[in-house]
Amino acid sequence: MEKDNLTLLTDFYELTMMQGYFKNNANETVIFDMFYRNNPSGSGYAICAGLEQVIEYIKELHFDTEDIEYLRGLNLFDEDFLGYLADFRFTGDIYAIPEGTVVFPMEPLVKVIAPIMEAQLVETAILNIVNHQSLIATKASRVVYAAKGDGVMEFGLRRAQGPDAGTLGARAAVIGGCIGTSNVLCAKKFNVPALGTHAHSWIMSFEDELTAFRKYAELYPQNTTLLVDTYDTLHSGVPHAIQVFNELKEAGKKPKIYGIRLDSGDLAYLSKKARKMLDDAGYTDAVIVASSDLDEYLIDSLKTQGAAIRSWGVGTNLITSKDCPAFGGVYKLAAIKKGNGFIPKIKLSENTWKITNPGNKTIYRIYDKETGKIKADLIALADEVLSEKDPLLLFDPMATWKKLYLKPDTYTLRELLVPVFIAGECVYESPAVMDIRQNCIEELDTLWDETKRLVNPHNVYVDLSNKLFQMKNELISDMNLDK
Amino acid sequence: MEKDNLTLLTDFYELTMMQGYFKNNANETVIFDMFYRNNPSGSGYAICAGLEQVIEYIKELHFDTEDIEYLRGLNLFDEDFLGYLADFRFTGDIYAIPEGTVVFPMEPLVKVIAPIMEAQLVETAILNIVNHQSLIATKASRVVYAAKGDGVMEFGLRRAQGPDAGTLGARAAVIGGCIGTSNVLCAKKFNVPALGTHAHSWIMSFEDELTAFRKYAELYPQNTTLLVDTYDTLHSGVPHAIQVFNELKEAGKKPKIYGIRLDSGDLAYLSKKARKMLDDAGYTDAVIVASSDLDEYLIDSLKTQGAAIRSWGVGTNLITSKDCPAFGGVYKLAAIKKGNGFIPKIKLSENTWKITNPGNKTIYRIYDKETGKIKADLIALADEVLSEKDPLLLFDPMATWKKLYLKPDTYTLRELLVPVFIAGECVYESPAVMDIRQNCIEELDTLWDETKRLVNPHNVYVDLSNKLFQMKNELISDMNLDK
């Protein structure tokens, strides 16, 4: 079977517009920015993810015969345009922020510089992929933050929005900090740990719970985690688990990693009671795992209540980002090439903060030299050159009287966007997912706790360079004059 | 490129349990039910969907060499078990409710009868696929209900949770009543209408809005819908659109289908103002399309406010089922074969309504003969035979004093579950998506408006047959004695 060609994974209007540009011989090179306006789930930051799949998608872009046949059958596209599509390849440049990076609203996560027909075609898939994975990576990062160093396992495949959402979602969850996933396909494809033990049906398929536990322990002596809530957690499950641990100990076969899993009921109460029962029986190193409709707020609350849980399996609420299931990234025209330069473009809106940032842009991240924490991000024009040797005056573009003056040599600069495609050729190699995960842990270290806290976090400043700010205001004024 | 083999799209514990059954020579035939406990989004019903993809998945189930290699590398699975996997095929029976059917909580949507190792492996993918598509079909059905006969277009690909969520989600949205989708891949794969016109970037890429409109109208004279909110809806967009319609009329080229699209701002106000401007210009048949963070509640409210919108493009909130992004279907062991019969199995819970229904079951839908509306559904044991010639006494299993007596010949019966696989062979052919959609429209006609309303709907009764009810109670009593 052929792998699904994702070239048609696009909105229909991209194709009707493409034909429009084709018919008008209007295939100017343009710049589109993919950015988002609000962090999901009330977060103080987001984690960007999905670039590896964007790269695959761009590399494989082509209309095969079947695609052309289908489009011809719609009686809307002319033969000359279909001929153009048959030879279609992506020939432009793409810049992007590497996966696992901490990002903030209004920053271009992906910048596409390409003939408008190409830039338009790829809009929908880029948004789909980056929106989805950034959403789940961000959610995972919040859940992992709440778990305060305990392992968080991604367990959501059965409730994910289709196969890709399960597999690419689990990939993003690992980038955001999960230690692994129950999804075997994801584990195989992206070389991340596959995790899990057994279900209630395992217990129910044996004559009794004790036999089921014994059989499981016999089979998996390396990691014996027993699910204790099939019949009655404290009166049946935990005593039976302890009985099996006793038998193993007596036989000199006490497992290295072992414990119990709670999957229902009052996790604070049950975990404390079970902890005491395990401790009293001498199993102070038995781990209590929990997995029952968890999210960052519930884990935080359980932690506050002193729940004795040290490992968390998080399903539905993570893999769907239940409280905020869409990332809201958009893809907006920023400039059109004319001669050797770009004419900046802007989209107005009744809402001031919805007005786009025009021009060919880049993003500088400004770190405090002493602490290594992020001071602010600065969106500038691509041809501006900043130096750590110069003083830097930052101001809030929505409230320009709010200023911050940075002395020379007190800050370090990093450009966030890296080249991914140049003239249609891929110039970027995606790191392994576990390496992106490690990088993301380091990224999170550049945020103060006040930005990472779950509720009402401190927002990091994303400012505009003075040159960009002036250009934007001039464009707005010109637009108003036009009316 | 090979198509992704979805055999590893399963939770890791399914594989560890499978090896457990293998090692214990315990591969009894079992019955698992996939059912759900609550309708999503506060709905009075759900629409089941996804069966076609479940069938594809089951047909293609096999571990290829690469899968076996991967599992071997985990150092957890023995060679004899890996050998078994290499020859693995699904050999069981599957019964399911056809796609597009109205369904209610506690009813098995899918029933798997297979050796436990097979039944266990397929759990996760069946849940993933049916949960996702049933969720989106249900949400779409609500949105379409709110639109009261206006066309609803699925526009959510860019915000869907990955490529499959976009494509299979759009499929489900069409099943639930959408007239088509912006997603070209979905349109091609499932032969449903591809819809859409142009974006703000089209307007912005021309010197001015009027030129952009003229060019678009020239290209697409069959359906000329102009997006009017790029600069200023009432002062620029609508007047320019009217100017273009005037020019077309004067040239004798007035399009058959034409109108404007609003994508931001106060849709009630703008649509009424725009309607008046169009009417005053003589364009009473121009259609006003809207698309801006819509859902069933917003459409309902706009309708109540008298908004002049006759076509709706619904994106994020539909494709993610934003207010309830997971369906919550579960997969529970109901019986284990012993000799010629099945031993019923039950899972207890602190919550009475979470206790599973044991045994090999079927579902009868009971229609009122006169109105054709659903009276109730009855979950019975598979070997019970009901006849429309007999009187039928229904009772609420949670409140047994609530009874309903049906006289003979006043009702009709329909068994909801149909055979899909028998002994591993597929015996069911999935209808075309547009046919499922048509069937779903007829299905919705079997519900009273009180069940379809958006808020606080009337719940349809799902009762248990007396025989099943007795069996369940006996099993619960036995369990309690065991303690």
Side-chain angles (χ1 to χ4, degrees), chain A residues 1 3-4 8 11-13 16 66 123 128 131 157-158 161-162 164 182 185 188-189 197 220 325, chain B residues 1 3-4 8 11-13 16 66 123 128 131 157-158 161 164 182 185 188-189 197 220 325:
Chain A
M1 272 255 195
K3 181 165 178 175
D4 265 0
L8 291 188
D11 284 315
F12 190 57
Y13 73 10
T16 52
E66 204 186 86
E123 168 175 18
N128 174 282
N131 274 332
L157 177 54
R158 62 190 55 199
Q161 298 195 348
D164 282 343
S182 66
L185 188 58
K188 174 184 168 236
K189 258 179 126 158
T197 57
Y220 298 106
Chain B
M1 274 255 197
K3 182 169 178 174
D4 264 359
L8 291 188
D11 283 316
F12 190 59
Y13 74 9
T16 52
E66 203 187 88
E123 167 175 17
N128 174 283
N131 273 334
L157 177 55
R158 62 189 57 199
Q161 297 193 348
D164 282 343
S182 66
L185 187 58
K188 171 182 171 240
K189 257 180 128 161
T197 56
Y220 299 106

Side-chain angles (χ1 to χ4, degrees), chain A residues 264-431:
Chain A
S264 61
D266 190 314
L267 297 178
Y269 173 78
L270 292 174
S271 69
K272 284 188 256 186
K273 283 279 179 187
R275 182 74 271 162
K276 184 153 188 338
M277 291 164 79
L278 288 164
D279 288 352
D280 289 350
Y283 299 110
T284 51
D285 55 345
V287 174
I288 301 181
V289 184
S291 56
S292 175
D293 276 335
L294 298 170
D295 65 12
E296 65 268 45
Y297 302 106
L298 192 50
I299 292 176
D300 189 60
S301 163
L302 286 165
K303 285 273 177 192
T304 307
Q305 294 171 70
I309 299 159
R310 289 298 163 266
S311 175
W312 309 82
V314 185
T316 312
N317 298 327
L318 166 53
I319 203 68
T320 65
S321 187
K322 195 169 185 186
D323 63 339
C324 179
F327 192 73
V330 295
Y331 184 85
K332 298 288 176 190
L333 182 66
I336 301 183
K337 195 160 194 175
K338 204 156 196 183
N340 283 326
F342 280 98
I343 316 268
K345 287 278 173 174
I346 196 162
K347 183 188 174 309
L348 294 189
S349 169
E350 302 287 317
N351 306 80
T352 318
W353 55 273
K354 268 193 147 184
I355 297 177
T356 58
N357 287 320
N360 186 8
K361 298 178 294 292
T362 192
I363 314 158
Y364 286 98
R365 176 148 293 171
I366 301 154
Y367 298 94
D368 183 73
K369 204 165 186 174
E370 211 177 299
T371 61
K373 305 287 184 193
I374 299 173
K375 272 239 164 280
D377 278 1
L378 184 73
I379 307 180
L381 292 170
D383 58 8
E384 291 188 76
V385 181
L386 270 67
S387 160
E388 295 165 1
K389 301 279 169 212
D390 294 332
L392 187 60
L393 182 68
L394 299 172
F395 60 92
D396 183 329
M398 305 293 282
T400 49
W401 68 92
K402 292 191 189 170
K403 290 182 175 140
L404 178 68
Y405 178 81
L406 301 179
K407 289 185 195 158
D409 288 321
T410 63
Y411 64 92
T412 56
L413 290 171
R414 170 188 163 206
E415 259 196 276
L416 294 185
L417 290 164
V418 300
V420 177
F421 283 87
I422 296 294
E425 289 301 314
C426 183
V427 295
Y428 181 82
E429 196 174 342
S430 286

Side-chain angles (χ1 to χ4, degrees), chain B residues 142-152 299-300 303-304 312 454:
Chain B
R142 289 168 63 76
V143 172
V144 168
Y145 178 78
K148 292 193 189 340
D150 296 346
V152 175
I299 292 177
D300 189 61
K303 285 273 178 192
T304 307
W312 308 82
L454 300 176

